Amino acid sequence: MPRRDLPPAATPPAQDVTAPRPEVGITEGDLEEPPEPSAHARSTFLPREHRRGLALCLSGGGYRAALFHLGAVRRLNELGVLGQVDTITSVSGGSILAAHLATTMGAEWPARRGVFADFEARVAQPFHAFCQRNIRTLPLAIGLLPWNWGGHAAVGVLEREYFVHLTRTRLVDLPERPHFVFCATDMAYGVNWTFTRGLVGSYMAGYAPTPGDWTVAHAVAASSCFPPFFNPQLVGLSPDQLALGDDRSPERDQRVRGLRLSDGGLYDNMGLEPVWKSHAVVLVSEGGSTFDAGADRGLLWRLNRYVEVQGRGGATVRKRWLISSFVNRVMRGTYWGIGTDVVDYDPEAAGYPREIAKNQIAEIRTDMDAFTDAERFILENHGYLLAEAAIRRYVRELALDPVPPLTVPHPAFFHPNDMQRVTDGLKESADRKLPFGRS
């Protein structure tokens, strides 16, 4: 029979599918007191009873994230917050900036509520110069040579790029404060792998004293070797060097011998894993990929979309948990993301309009080719302004009193009443120039 639509008067009313249904379901009063959690549950899933310290988490996202974080760190320094940071965790693009901070500021890290002098000349300008370099095309080209297929040549060249142009610091020479934690993904166990000045490893494979010849560049390369363009980095530690891991199975040694590391964003792109249980205050700067709605475009599009949707699910759960922990006072802190509208913090706060932040700045490619002046300056401005708004709204007590005035790093690319230069400067920023990128 042909379908007959209901007349408007007979159309069922819209229902709130999320509303509770009192006629069914178990209430809290129907349940007995829960048993005490097991020791495993406590150690694995519960935060420490007494939290201490302030952590700054720098997400992945290539140069885009690194430059966004640069702006945030600049403002944190001006506010006197950076000197209070006890731990910096980083992933991929965030690890690029963290390596630069450790190298340029590590020996002179500001005292608590202190300010690092001449941030522009000593930190920002050298980092902008680095982000004008295309560091991904040469490693990728070498990795595509037939005799390098399946090997580690590409990530080795990427490590050399970081060593020559970003930092020659050894991991064991990192400062004691703040504690730098570079995050990669342990491919054998699918968990977070960390590089620090004292230890390297994962909770499944175990931990080893940091080898004296391992460099920060080595850690950053592992943290940022994004698939499928870079094969994972071989760890190269023997099973007896890694101890106290949770894997006690007969297959453990075999797994450790072939253990490889990939981009830290595969497991936790926000870098929360090392600090969520232990720190009293957590600040998260998120410059990674945003998820955009899209119409179906066929099989190839769907294959990529499956991966994107899975990634979005994990990131969304982490973000929801993080924000709910702030709201419920499990810990203090705040979050700012590259797609955030600044008016979500304060309708009067200075920042880029929503349509530019979401549709242009958040769409800048997550790549490591040469970024233009407009791209670099706008990203730094955006991170600077969002960090300012987030700190003022949620953890104002961390900032100096009186709060230092805003000084937008690149005012030529921030005119609240005229954003034409911004939109013009970002016209092609979302496009990846394959295979060679921008140089």
Side-chain angles (χ1 to χ4, degrees):
M1 294 179 61
R3 180 181 181 275
R4 297 182 61 188
D5 292 330
L6 292 171
T11 302
Q15 296 183 355
D16 181 1
V17 297
T18 65
R21 300 175 63 191
E23 72 277 10
V24 295
I26 296 175
T27 67
E28 188 175 350
D30 296 327
L31 301 174
E32 299 179 357
E33 284 293 317
E36 285 294 314
S38 66
H40 171 74
R42 285 184 176 278
S43 64
T44 304
F45 302 110
L46 291 182
R48 293 181 189 171
E49 187 174 348
H50 301 291
R51 292 173 171 273
R52 296 186 62 184
L54 190 158
L56 172 62
C57 304
L58 304 176
S59 81
Y63 281 174
R64 184 182 80 175
L67 289 158
F68 177 74
H69 301 326
L70 176 68
V73 168
R74 182 195 284 265
R75 187 53 180 163
L76 294 180
N77 181 54
E78 293 173 357
L79 292 171
V81 176
L82 193 62
Q84 300 174 62
V85 171
D86 299 291
T87 303
I88 294 179
T89 67
S90 60
V91 179
S92 194
S95 291
I96 297 174
L97 179 66
H100 181 69
L101 296 178
T103 302
T104 57
M105 296 178 59
E108 303 175 56
W109 199 264
R112 299 192 183 276
R113 293 189 174 270
V115 175
F116 185 80
D118 205 5
F119 186 93
E120 169 65 19
R122 300 171 66 188
V123 180
Q125 288 181 12
F127 196 68
H128 277 281
F130 176 78
C131 292
Q132 290 177 277
R133 301 188 63 87
N134 180 340
I135 65 164
R136 59 88 154 162
T137 298
L138 178 61
L140 288 178
I142 289 176
L144 290 173
L145 294 173
W147 51 88
N148 289 329
W149 291 354
H152 315 288
V155 70
V157 177
L158 182 64
E159 177 180 336
R160 190 172 67 208
E161 290 286 299
Y162 289 135
F163 184 81
V164 172
H165 302 293
L166 181 68
T167 178
R168 301 191 178 197
T169 302
R170 297 185 305 166
L171 284 166
V172 294
D173 294 328
L174 286 168
E176 291 187 16
R177 178 184 170 275
H179 181 56
F180 283 89
V181 184
F182 297 92
C183 300
T185 297
D186 173 339
M187 296 292 286
Y189 298 100
V191 298
N192 199 53
W193 174 284
T194 56
F195 297 85
T196 71
R197 72 189 301 268
L199 293 173
V200 297
S202 74
Y203 80 90
M204 287 297 296
Y207 294 91
T210 301
D213 59 344
W214 280 20
T215 64
V216 173
H218 181 71
V220 178
S223 183
S224 62
C225 60
F226 54 90
F229 303 105
F230 291 97
N231 285 321
Q233 182 191 81
L234 184 65
V235 170
L237 296 176
S238 62
D240 61 335
Q241 289 178 282
L242 292 163
L244 304 178
D246 281 5
D247 185 4
R248 311 293 172 82
S249 70
E251 296 80 19
R252 183 260 181 188
D253 286 2
Q254 180 183 357
R255 292 168 182 157
V256 169
R257 287 190 188 95
L259 201 154
R260 287 161 170 77
L261 306 177
S262 191
D263 190 295
L266 292 178
Y267 181 73
D268 172 17
N269 198 50
M270 285 193 285
L272 282 168
E273 191 68 15
V275 298
W276 73 269
K277 288 184 181 181
S278 56
H279 284 63
V281 182
V282 177
L283 310 178
V284 178
S285 184
E286 169 65 90
S289 296
T290 55
F291 186 87
D292 301 318
D296 190 277
R297 296 198 292 272
L299 177 60
L300 292 178
W301 179 87
R302 283 180 222 131
L303 291 175
N304 184 62
R305 194 65 164 181
Y306 296 141
V307 177
E308 289 181 341
V309 171
Q310 284 186 314
R312 186 198 189 198
T316 299
V317 169
R318 285 185 187 276
K319 183 178 175 182
R320 286 176 179 169
W321 168 85
L322 176 72
I323 302 302
S324 68
S325 295
F326 294 153
V327 171
N328 292 320
R329 295 295 193 267
V330 174
M331 59 186 175
R332 295 295 307 279
T334 187
Y335 163 99
W336 56 89
I338 197 166
T340 303
D341 185 353
V342 71
V343 302
D344 291 344
Y345 300 111
D346 179 358
E348 304 300 321
Y352 289 100
R354 175 180 175 81
E355 60 274 12
I356 290 179
K358 184 172 180 60
N359 298 330
Q360 287 196 276
I361 300 177
E363 295 298 318
I364 295 174
R365 65 200 178 280
T366 54
D367 208 334
M368 297 186 298
D369 60 0
F371 273 43
T372 66
D373 287 353
E375 291 165 345
R376 290 183 286 105
F377 296 160
I378 292 165
L379 282 165
E380 186 180 2
N381 284 349
H382 191 41
Y384 180 93
L385 293 166
L386 282 176
E388 155 74 11
I391 294 294
R392 276 184 178 261
R393 177 69 177 85
Y394 291 109
V395 281
R396 188 182 182 122
E397 65 272 23
L398 295 178
L400 296 172
D401 187 15
V403 175
L406 274 178
T407 306
V408 177
H410 308 285
F413 287 92
F414 183 74
H415 291 295
N417 298 321
D418 182 9
M419 291 289 169
Q420 191 61 47
R421 189 172 186 184
V422 173
T423 58
D424 289 346
L426 299 181
K427 274 184 179 177
E428 298 182 356
S429 295
D431 301 331
R432 294 181 186 272
K433 303 293 186 181
L434 297 176
F436 301 113
R438 295 164 169 84
S439 57

